[in-house]
Amino acid sequence: EIVLTQSPGTLSLSPGERATLSCRASQSVSSGYLAWYQQKPGQAPRLVIYGASRRATGIPDRFSGSGSGTDFTLTISRLEPEDFAVYYCQQYGSSPPFTFGQGTKLEIK
Amino acid sequence: EEQLVESGGGVARPGGSLRLSCAASGFTFDDYGMSWVRQAPGKGLEWVSGIKRSGDTTAYADSVRGRFTISRDNVKNFLILQMNGLRAEDTALYHCARGFLGGPLDYWGQGILVTVSS
């Protein structure tokens, strides 16, 4: 089983600032099958990034993903008020279980 | 518009059973693998189970293997999760999601609450 470790656990920033979230895998994620999800209170998760770097439909271009192998990053270039949420990474490669990271809470400073 | 709507949750006793359903609409159901993901109160996301579009391949998290069974009806466009031998730690909001092997979870239902308590 691939274990995903996200850091930091909580990130406190102000609107307009840049956010950098990390996801580290215990073993290589095949074919870059790494996704990021955003979850707001009381809502279902929403796909933000898939294939490590591809934005999902309707996701603004201030969101970007990068990385390969075992180290992945989600960057939000200029935070908007609606971006404050919990973000999860997930690997969905060739071998289940398709584990999630424990989440990073992005909160307003 | 793609839509996933879960039903069948509720309260069950430890050792009991529940059957969750997910009605899919707005897309060609048998073109996609499907998954169940759960979230215990105040906790993170846990992938539970998935099934390929044809239904011939399934997978489970270690925590539910041997107790839960995933299936699908590609005629009526339903995803099913049969949960037996329920435990207190199965208490969670269960989401149906589109995606499985090699595919991200790109659409999610709002979830259905399962509570296991004596």
Side-chain angles (χ1 to χ4, degrees):
Chain A
E1 173 177 324
I2 296 178
V3 177
L4 299 178
T5 302
Q6 293 186 238
S7 61
T10 302
L11 186 57
S12 300
L13 294 170
S14 301
E17 290 193 292
R18 179 185 186 90
T20 303
L21 287 65
S22 174
C23 177
R24 177 162 289 179
S26 60
Q27 54 189 282
S28 184
V29 175
S30 62
S31 303
Y33 286 149
L34 192 286
W36 291 91
Y37 302 89
Q38 176 193 72
Q39 188 178 33
K40 298 179 181 179
Q43 295 185 17
R46 176 191 185 192
L47 178 66
V48 176
I49 296 287
Y50 67 99
S53 61
R54 300 182 180 191
R55 274 189 303 277
T57 303
I59 299 300
D61 61 7
R62 63 180 180 272
F63 288 85
S64 63
S66 62
S68 63
T70 61
D71 288 294
F72 299 88
T73 300
L74 174 69
T75 301
I76 310 172
S77 59
R78 248 181 355 268
L79 285 165
E80 297 286 343
E82 62 266 28
D83 299 335
F84 292 91
V86 180
Y87 290 84
Y88 296 93
C89 60
Q90 186 215 12
Q91 62 86 16
Y92 57 95
S94 57
S95 182
F98 299 130
T99 47
F100 288 89
Q102 81 278 21
T104 289
K105 182 179 182 181
L106 179 56
E107 65 176 22
I108 298 177
K109 187 173 183 180
Chain B
E1 180 189 358
E2 296 86 346
Q3 196 168 12
L4 298 169
V5 180
E6 302 91 343
S7 60
V11 180
R13 303 281 193 200
S17 298
L18 282 174
R19 180 181 171 92
L20 303 185
S21 296
C22 170
S25 60
F27 64 98
T28 304
F29 185 63
D30 59 8
D31 275 352
Y32 294 90
M34 299 291 296
S35 292
W36 289 97
V37 176
R38 69 185 180 184
Q39 189 167 30
K43 302 296 184 182
L45 302 173
E46 180 187 15
W47 179 85
V48 172
S49 182
I51 186 167
K52 286 184 75 172
R53 59 184 187 174
S54 60
D56 62 349
T57 299
T58 60
Y60 300 90
D62 289 346
S63 57
V64 306
R65 188 177 295 113
R67 301 187 298 122
F68 290 10
T69 302
I70 191 171
S71 61
R72 63 189 295 159
D73 183 333
N74 285 346
V75 173
K76 296 181 179 178
N77 295 347
F78 270 89
L79 179 70
I80 304 294
L81 187 68
Q82 178 66 44
M83 305 187 295
N84 299 330
L86 284 163
R87 305 168 179 168
E89 56 264 35
D90 296 320
T91 294
L93 188 67
Y94 284 74
H95 295 276
C96 161
R98 190 176 84 172
F100 183 39
L101 276 170
L105 305 178
D106 60 355
Y107 287 95
W108 295 65
Q110 285 303 306
I112 191 77
L113 186 61
V114 169
T115 302
V116 183
S117 174
S118 55

